[in-house]
Amino acid sequence: LMGTKTPFEEQIYESAQPLESESLYLFDSVNRSGIQLRPFIAVMPSPENQTVACFIFNRVEKDSTRWVSYHFEHESEIKHASRGVDDALAMLKRFKGEAEA
C-alpha cells in the first residue's frame, strides 16, 4: 500500500475458510483463502473526509492508540481504539515475561 492518495477498491470474494469481519487479509483468489495481516495496519475511513486510507499503529496513549497515515497530510494521525492491537501487545508482554522467568 504505497503512494499518495492511493485508491482502495473494495471487492467481495467467496472464501473457502471463515474470515473475521473488520480484518485485513491478503487473499489468494485461486485457493480462495486469506492470510490475516497483523492488527497494526488498518484500512478505514479518515475521520474528517471519510476517504479510505491506510493507517499504521504508532503508539499507545492514555486512553487510546495513535495511528498514522501517509495518505492525507492534514489527517496524518488519528486516535482509534483497537482491541486487536491491545490483544497483540498483551501477547507480546506475556511472551517477554515468560522469557525472563
Side-chain angles (χ1 to χ4, degrees), residues 13-17 19 27-34:
Y13 293 97
E14 187 174 324
S15 175
Q17 70 186 65
L19 304 176
F27 191 76
D28 179 349
S29 59
V30 174
N31 294 319
R32 296 183 12 222
S33 61

Side-chain angles (χ1 to χ4, degrees), residues 63-92:
D63 56 351
S64 63
T65 53
R66 181 176 178 265
W67 297 75
V68 296
S69 176
Y70 299 101
H71 288 108
F72 306 109
E73 187 174 327
H74 72 285
E75 282 188 279
S76 62
E77 59 184 70
I78 62 169
K79 292 184 180 182
H80 172 72
S82 171
R83 181 177 175 182
V85 168
D86 293 342
D87 292 346
L89 292 175
M91 281 194 335
L92 289 173

Side-chain angles (χ1 to χ4, degrees), residues 23-62:
S23 293
L24 187 61
Y25 289 85
L26 295 176
F27 191 76
D28 179 349
S29 59
V30 174
N31 294 319
R32 296 183 12 222
S33 61
I35 299 172
Q36 187 176 23
L37 296 177
R38 297 288 178 213
F40 300 104
I41 300 172
V43 177
M44 59 187 162
S46 60
E48 288 182 28
N49 66 17
Q50 294 296 304
T51 303
V52 176
C54 179
F55 289 88
I56 302 166
F57 168 78
N58 182 263
R59 69 177 174 252
V60 174
E61 294 190 342
K62 185 171 63 173

